């Protein structure tokens, strides 16, 4: 059987959690990354544009996974599918609900960050807006980090849901560690709180 093929840009981005899940499951996969444009060549990534034109993915988006003769897209849908395949998706309906609720909530935080980082703002405005969001107890990072820390603190197993690793643990770990790196120069006081302790069994 051929290896799964994961296609994305040459960055962590939305594909990193999928890479992490494969690694956690002990599954070898082909990690295809678009090469950046040649130095001095501006505009959209050439390899990505070729991928879009190929029609392989209905939405023309990445990450894009080819596995067992089938194609998959949309990060969270891929994570959920792989979680079920490798026994990381909960053991009953209640646990499945909890996983959905956790990943949907973190997804809200992720969308807020994307809205700032890729919004129509200058670098200085992005820095200011990100700093404000990182400090906002009601709508920003403290709210989301507190949510995950509360769940982790209430767990006797070290996992967010149940007694074994799930795709939600990986999703949370990837988001918060990515944010820790992203905000170093934006809001140092808040970034010191973004630690692996929120999902202690992924270190």
């Amino acid at each position: 059987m051929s290896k799964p093929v994961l296609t994305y840009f040459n960055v962590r981005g939305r594909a990193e959690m999928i890479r992490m899940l494969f690694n956690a499951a002990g599954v070898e996969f082909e990690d295809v990354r678009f090469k950046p444009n040649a130095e001095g060549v501006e505009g959209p990534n050439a390899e990505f544009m070729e991928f879009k034109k190929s029609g392989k993915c209905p939405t023309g988006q990445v990450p894009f996974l080819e596995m067992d003769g089938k194609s998959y897209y949309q990060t969270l849908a891929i994570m959920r599918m792989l979680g079920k395949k490798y026994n990381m998706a909960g053991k009953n309906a209640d646990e499945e609900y909890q996983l959905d609720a956790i990943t949907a909530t973190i997804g809200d935080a992720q969308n807020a960050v994307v809205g700032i980082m890729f919004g129509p703002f200058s670098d200085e405005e992005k820095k200011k807006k990100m700093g404000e969001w990182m400090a906002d107890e009601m709508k920003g990072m403290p709210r989301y980090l507190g949510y995950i820390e509360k769940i982790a603190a209430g767990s006797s197993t070290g996992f967010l849901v149940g007694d074994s690793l799930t795709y939600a643990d990986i999703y949370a770990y990837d988001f918060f560690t990515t944010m820790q790196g992203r905000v170093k120069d934006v809001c140092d006081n808040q970034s010191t709180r973004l630690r692996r302790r929120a999902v202690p069994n992924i270190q």
Side-chain angles (χ1 to χ4, degrees):
M1 186 179 295
S2 60
K3 296 179 183 178
V5 179
L6 178 63
T7 301
Y8 195 65
F9 300 101
N10 189 29
V11 294
R12 288 172 56 96
R14 293 184 180 270
E16 189 66 14
M17 66 181 73
I18 301 172
R19 298 175 185 131
M20 292 172 66
L21 194 152
F22 275 131
N23 289 331
V27 176
E28 293 186 5
F29 67 101
E30 187 176 347
D31 190 9
V32 177
R33 305 191 184 208
F34 296 127
K35 296 177 182 176
N37 289 334
E39 186 175 351
V41 177
E42 298 182 358
N45 180 282
E47 287 193 349
F48 174 58
M49 295 308 296
E50 284 300 315
F51 169 82
K52 287 176 69 72
K53 292 177 184 178
S54 73
K56 292 177 69 174
C57 178
T59 63
Q61 296 174 311
V62 289
F64 178 70
L65 177 65
E66 297 167 281
M67 184 175 181
D68 299 333
K70 298 180 180 179
S71 300
Y72 302 91
Y73 54 96
Q74 290 293 350
T75 305
L76 185 52
I78 292 173
M79 290 291 288
R80 189 179 293 115
M81 181 275 295
L82 292 177
K84 291 180 178 180
K85 186 177 183 67
Y86 300 123
N87 300 315
M88 299 182 193
K91 296 181 174 64
N92 52 55
D94 184 67
E95 288 189 0
E96 290 175 2
Y97 160 75
Q98 292 178 61
L99 296 176
D100 283 342
I102 290 169
T103 53
T105 302
I106 297 173
D108 289 343
Q110 197 171 40
N111 290 336
V113 172
V114 169
I116 294 172
M117 299 307 297
F118 296 95
F121 312 115
S122 66
D123 289 345
E124 197 60 36
E125 288 173 326
K126 289 179 181 179
K127 183 175 180 178
K128 181 176 182 294
K129 288 180 177 293
M130 185 62 77
E132 292 172 347
W133 188 81
M134 289 296 295
D136 190 334
E137 296 283 344
M138 296 298 294
K139 299 180 180 179
M141 179 57 82
R143 172 191 174 194
Y144 294 102
L145 183 60
Y147 167 76
I148 293 297
E149 289 181 329
K150 184 176 181 179
I151 293 174
S155 171
S156 62
T157 65
F159 300 102
L160 294 179
V161 176
D163 59 4
S164 59
L165 184 71
T166 67
Y167 71 90
D169 291 293
I170 296 172
Y171 194 117
Y173 173 74
D174 176 59
F175 174 70
F176 289 115
T177 53
T178 296
M179 284 302 298
Q180 185 173 14
R182 184 179 291 279
V183 301
K184 278 181 180 177
D185 298 325
V186 175
C187 191
D188 288 337
N189 289 336
Q190 286 294 335
S191 70
T192 58
R193 299 186 63 214
L194 308 183
R195 301 171 187 239
R196 296 180 182 183
R197 61 192 168 89
V199 274
N201 276 20
I202 310 179
Q203 294 191 21

